[in-house]
Amino acid sequence: YGSSDLSWLLAERCADEVSHLAELTATVTRGAKRSSHDRPPVSTTTMTYGRAGEIDRPMVEPVKLEIGDRIPGTRYRLVRKLGSGGSAEVFCAQHIDLERQVAIKILDHELARQSGAIAQFRMEARACSRIGHPNIVDVIDFGELDDGRFFFAMELVEGDSLAEILAAERRLPVERALPIFRQAAKALGAAHEHHIIHRDMKPENIMLTKSKDGREDLVKVLDFGVMAFASDTAAECVGTPGYMAPEQIEGAMPTPQMDIYALGATLYETISGTLPYPGETLTEYAAQQAAGPAIALGSLPSTKGLHSAIERVVHRALERAADARQLSCADLEADLVVAQRE
């Protein structure tokens, strides 16, 4: 078993025991009060347990990363910055010995103090590495900088995100969009086979590059930063408004149908140039979603003449009830194939 399979198995078979962890920890802590003369002073560093059991530790000041310099504690030299988000920065870097260029994702210094964030970061790296699918970016290295920050290295994907393409072109013709989403469905289907739910599918996380044989629009699914195992208990509301399934907003247990909904919303946007529910805030989005079905895709001015077979596939993926959507990403891809033929 790999660790993702073990997590799934334990959560399935030992759900009650897992849910009692916090209660048991609190009980042990209350019973372990010690007087100052019985024990030496302890570190003021807070000790908490993440999903993989990491413990918070003291940190030093982060080393400033300069383009052209070697990343301290690694065999990589920075080439250029690719982007940044709320939890990490991403750089293009080159291995000093192998001269291979990669993308390096470095966890934010403040989050590197939190065991839960470290665990999630490690799970993201392991998930991408373990899935091993040609349409998912491959992770090739994991480590820690001298200042305590964690990083992982992944294949460098040269190309544009679907979001960047839509920003320039507003929408894509159906004959170009369908092959892209068939690849994305295959990628997520492979993740689901490992019980991994992406939970944040959107145009920004679909990269389009060129294959080795020169074929355009090779899909690489990115950013498993908020992934969860399908066996996880219901927890936080995670995702991006515009692409979240109704049950995802409610904090339900992660399922493949959440990713199917997100793919449906992204395909709707890609073909029409607008989201099915365009609310900017989560509150607005949830209210629009609860008010009724999305406007029929084929009735929009931008999609006049759209074949009804395409519309059926997209709106099935956007069903409010999870069990009314496609049962799997393989079913979604099969529906897209049928629609493509029609």
Side-chain angles (χ1 to χ4, degrees), residues 15-314:
D16 290 341
E17 289 83 351
V18 172
S19 67
H20 290 158
L21 176 60
E23 179 185 344
L24 292 171
T25 302
T27 301
V28 170
T29 302
R30 286 195 299 271
K33 292 180 179 178
R34 303 178 178 94
S35 62
S36 59
H37 63 271
D38 290 332
R39 291 285 189 273
V42 296
S43 168
T44 57
T45 303
T46 303
M47 297 182 69
T48 56
Y49 292 88
R51 294 174 63 182
E54 290 84 4
I55 300 176
D56 290 342
R57 64 256 161 77
M59 299 282 290
V60 300
E61 284 302 308
V63 175
K64 188 175 181 181
L65 299 176
E66 300 284 357
I67 301 302
D69 289 349
R70 177 175 173 173
I71 304 175
T74 77
R75 301 292 294 168
Y76 298 97
R77 190 181 304 281
L78 290 180
V79 176
R80 66 184 186 275
K81 189 169 184 177
L82 298 175
S84 61
S87 63
E89 291 183 300
V90 183
F91 297 88
C92 171
Q94 182 166 304
H95 194 282
I96 292 172
D97 296 315
L98 303 180
E99 298 186 348
R100 176 185 179 181
Q101 288 198 346
V102 298
I104 294 273
K105 187 170 185 176
I106 302 175
L107 185 64
D108 179 79
H109 182 256
E110 288 302 317
L111 291 178
R113 301 173 184 267
Q114 302 173 19
S115 57
I118 296 169
Q120 186 71 31
F121 193 71
R122 180 176 280 118
M123 283 201 308
E124 177 186 359
R126 286 176 175 171
C128 293
S129 176
R130 185 166 291 117
I131 296 168
H133 192 273
N135 295 122
I136 293 178
V137 65
D138 189 26
V139 170
I140 56 179
D141 196 7
F142 186 94
E144 185 176 356
L145 275 60
D146 287 345
D147 58 17
R149 285 180 290 175
F150 287 90
F151 76 91
F152 61 78
M154 49 192 163
E155 63 175 312
L156 181 65
V157 180
E158 299 286 5
D160 297 311
S161 71
L162 181 57
E164 292 170 324
I165 293 172
L166 292 179
E169 303 182 23
R170 187 167 176 264
R171 60 191 182 90
L172 297 184
V174 172
E175 58 269 23
R176 183 181 178 189
L178 291 186
I180 289 171
F181 280 83
R182 285 179 57 189
Q183 293 177 73
K186 286 180 179 178
L188 289 178
H192 296 164
E193 288 177 4
H194 290 264
H195 319 297
I196 292 167
I197 313 302
H198 190 287
R199 297 202 296 182
D200 199 22
M201 279 306 305
K202 54 187 178 182
E204 288 82 353
N205 290 333
I206 297 177
M207 283 290 293
L208 300 179
T209 186
K210 186 180 291 187
S211 67
K212 292 180 179 179
D213 61 4
R215 181 166 59 91
E216 299 286 349
D217 288 344
L218 172 66
V219 166
K220 290 285 186 178
V221 172
L222 308 176
D223 199 354
F224 281 73
V226 295
M227 57 138 291
F229 291 111
S231 55
D232 282 355
T233 54
E236 65 276 320
C237 168
V238 172
T240 301
Y243 309 94
M244 297 169 68
E247 69 274 15
Q248 193 171 351
I249 296 173
E250 297 168 359
M253 181 184 295
T255 66
Q257 276 64 41
M258 291 180 180
D259 287 346
I260 289 171
Y261 186 98
L263 273 181
T266 305
L267 180 52
Y268 187 109
E269 178 185 17
T270 300
I271 292 174
S272 70
T274 184
L275 281 164
Y277 304 101
E280 292 187 4
T281 68
L282 183 60
T283 302
E284 292 172 349
Y285 171 65
Q288 291 172 5
Q289 197 181 58
I295 297 173
L297 185 57
S299 68
L300 296 170
S302 60
T303 53
K304 188 176 180 180
L306 180 72
H307 198 290
S308 60
I310 307 295
E311 186 177 74
R312 284 198 306 269
V313 176
V314 175

